[in-house]
Every structure is written in C-alpha cells, then in structure tokens.
Amino acid sequence: MTDDTAAINRANWDVWAAAHGQDAYYDSVGLVAGADSLTDVENAAVGDVTGLDVLHVQCHLGFDSISLARRGARVTGVDFSPVALEKARDLARRCAADVRFVEADATDLPPELHGRFDLAYATMGILCWIGDIDAWMRSVAATLRPGGRLVLIDGHPLSLMTAGLDPLVLDFPYAFDGPHEFSGTASYATETDPTTSVEFAHSLGEIVTAAVVSGLRITRLDEHLDSPLELGPGGPPGPDGRYRFQLSGQDLPVLYTLRAERPARA
Ligand SMILES: C[S@@+](CC[C@H](N)C(=O)[O-])C[C@H]1O[C@@H](n2cnc3c(N)ncnc32)[C@H](O)[C@@H]1O
C-alpha cells in the first residue's frame, strides 16, 4: 500500500471510528452488558479459542477482540486507526476484558507480533482496503506459530462488484486493477460527514494464490450464499434476517471463508 493510499484510508477510518459505537451495528451498550459480537459464520470458523493466542487483524472498535477474550483467548487487536484503537481500549476497560491493542498497518505487522499466535482472525470488510494482498498475507502469516491458523471471512468479490440488482448495476471490477478512489463515502453503520476512501478489488483466485505464496496451507474455502451482515449488492434481508445476492431466482455468493494454516514444519 502506498503511503498516500494508507493516509487517505486512515483518515476515512478515523472519521468512521469516531462516529461508530452508538448505533445498531456497533452496539457498545449491548457489548458492555455481555453481548457477543461474532456472527454464526464467524463462530463456525473459529471454534473453541480457550487458551489460544489470537491476533484480531483490522480489529476496528475491538468488538470481536473483546468477545474472543471473554471466551478465554489471549487477544491482541491490531488496526491502523488510532481513533478506533482509543475506542477499543475504552470498551475493553468497560467490559473488564484483558485485550492488548497495537497500532500497525496490516501489510507490515511489527516483528514483536511475529510467530506468536495460534489464530489470526480477520473478518467482514478486510481486503477491499488493501492494495497489496501478497504483503498482507505475508505479514499476517508471519504472526502465526507453526501449526497456527488463519481465518479470513470477507465479502465475496462477485458480490462486491454489484451496486444494484434491479436493474443489475456492476460498479467495481472482479479482479485487481489498481486503486479506486471514492468521494462522499458513507459509513455502513451510521451517519458521518462524507469522506474519501480508496478500495481495491481482489478476485478469489488472487486471494487464494496470495495465501499459498505466503507459505500458508489452505485447508478450506467456503463460499456462502447468505450472510448475517450486508456486504454486497444491498437490498433488504430475507424473512430469516439473512442477506442474499439473487439473480433470476438463483443465489450467488455473498461471503467467503478462507481457512489456512502455517505448516508445522516448513
Ligand atoms: C470494516 S472494519 C473491520 C470490521 C471488524 N471486523 C469489526 O469487527 O468491526 C475494517 C478495519 O480495517 C482497518 N484497516 C483498513 N486498512 C488497514 C490497514 N492497511 N492496516 C490496518 N488496519 C486497516 C480500519 O481502520 C477498520 O478498523
């Protein structure tokens, strides 16, 4: 990621993080009262984390960091937004959760985090902010112990292309073609002043290849046809509360879960 791009996106996230936390998406009151923030898709992928060292990559306000700590994990949250981390630290204190938060770029995680984690967990709105996914995978893979695993859950690239379904409007590429700058960007969670952001497309092939090239062994790739969160073409959830991407009555993928591990022996 270039310094310019990182600076634009950090400023965007600082504005959003300042606004988030008093809304239905980021319900701080509920979290402090004991609510768990992981969705069913995230729960299915992480399993039991008791006693594990967990790195929560791009942790934002730390909702999932705190939820994982409450399950008995030793959690470090990392994000490049100092405003998000300030709120995350305050929330962890209010939740009496022992979580360490580190300010760093996910594509260049500091050596102090290398080789220390059983699980690197990154979910829901991750790689569209990252220009160089080879650097992201390398950096995140380096934080794992031998045998440690990565859980990456994110919007499916097919669904991220889509701005509307009726009529069908595609406003984003499927695969990487450089930065896309958006002005007047609105937060997904609440109202804020308009911001500028830079996003990147990455195909599923590019993501899987980046993981392999980083030395990780892919253990599973799931494509989900419904999602607990809206991360794609928009539209209301179905009667079951799930978001779908339907064309001509057929479901297309809205999310993916990539599971990979650092081989126990190279
Ligand atoms: C959509 S949020 C992730 C959502 C998160 N799972 C949650 O529970 O709220 C994306 C986060 O990525 C962070 N971010 C974006 N680019 C980053 C980078 N290059 N390095 C570190 N953090 C980054 C943002 O500051 C933001 O907090």
Side-chain angles (χ1 to χ4, degrees), residues 228-249:
L229 300 176
E230 186 187 338
L231 271 170
D240 58 357
R242 312 293 286 189
Y243 292 88
R244 290 185 174 77
F245 177 14
Q246 284 187 328
L247 277 181
S248 307

Side-chain angles (χ1 to χ4, degrees), residues 9 11 16 28 33 68 96 108 120 130 169 176 188 209-210 220 230 263 266:
N9 278 345
W16 286 3
S28 300
L68 291 164
D108 189 20
I130 304 298
V169 179
F176 183 79
Y188 50 93
T209 302
R220 198 172 166 117
E230 186 187 338

Side-chain angles (χ1 to χ4, degrees), residues 71-93:
R71 297 168 184 208
R74 288 179 295 276
V75 183
T76 300
V78 66
D79 202 284
F80 73 170
S81 161
V83 176
L85 293 180
E86 198 182 316
K87 279 204 172 174
R89 286 188 187 102
D90 180 57
L91 271 171
R93 188 186 48 73

Side-chain angles (χ1 to χ4, degrees), residues 28-223:
S28 300
V29 173
L31 184 77
V32 172
D36 186 286
S37 62
L38 271 70
T39 64
D40 58 338
V41 177
E42 292 164 324
N43 274 322
V46 293
D48 182 6
V49 294
T50 314
L52 297 186
D53 288 305
V54 176
L55 182 68
H56 183 191
V57 181
Q58 295 173 231
C59 64
H60 198 45
L61 307 188
F63 274 55
D64 288 0
S65 319
I66 291 166
S67 298
L68 291 164
R70 282 175 170 156
R71 297 168 184 208
R74 288 179 295 276
V75 183
T76 300
V78 66
D79 202 284
F80 73 170
S81 161
V83 176
L85 293 180
E86 198 182 316
K87 279 204 172 174
R89 286 188 187 102
D90 180 57
L91 271 171
R93 188 186 48 73
R94 287 163 58 200
C95 292
D98 186 12
V99 182
R100 178 177 174 232
F101 291 101
V102 175
E103 186 180 323
D105 194 303
T107 61
D108 189 20
L109 294 169
E112 68 183 88
L113 300 180
H114 288 185
R116 282 204 33 218
F117 295 94
D118 304 300
L119 172 66
Y121 168 88
T123 68
M124 309 290 189
I126 299 298
L127 292 184
C128 64
W129 306 107
I130 304 298
D132 185 347
I133 56 166
D134 287 332
W136 190 93
M137 283 292 177
R138 228 180 7 254
S139 163
V140 172
T143 67
L144 294 173
R145 299 193 165 106
R149 62 198 172 97
L150 166 69
V151 167
L152 170 63
I153 303 176
D154 215 350
H156 195 287
L158 195 57
S159 141
L160 298 184
M161 296 175 77
T162 313
L165 288 174
D166 191 17
L168 177 64
V169 179
L170 304 180
D171 71 345
F172 202 58
Y174 181 72
F176 183 79
D177 68 347
H180 288 256
E181 186 168 315
F182 297 95
S183 318
T185 318
S187 158
Y188 50 93
T190 190
E191 280 191 27
T192 65
D193 289 337
T195 54
T196 299
S197 64
V198 181
E199 297 186 37
F200 303 87
H202 303 290
S203 71
L204 214 49
E206 289 164 352
I207 295 163
V208 163
T209 302
V212 171
V213 168
S214 76
L216 293 175
R217 190 177 74 84
I218 291 173
T219 52
R220 198 172 166 117
L221 174 66
D222 292 306
E223 295 170 280

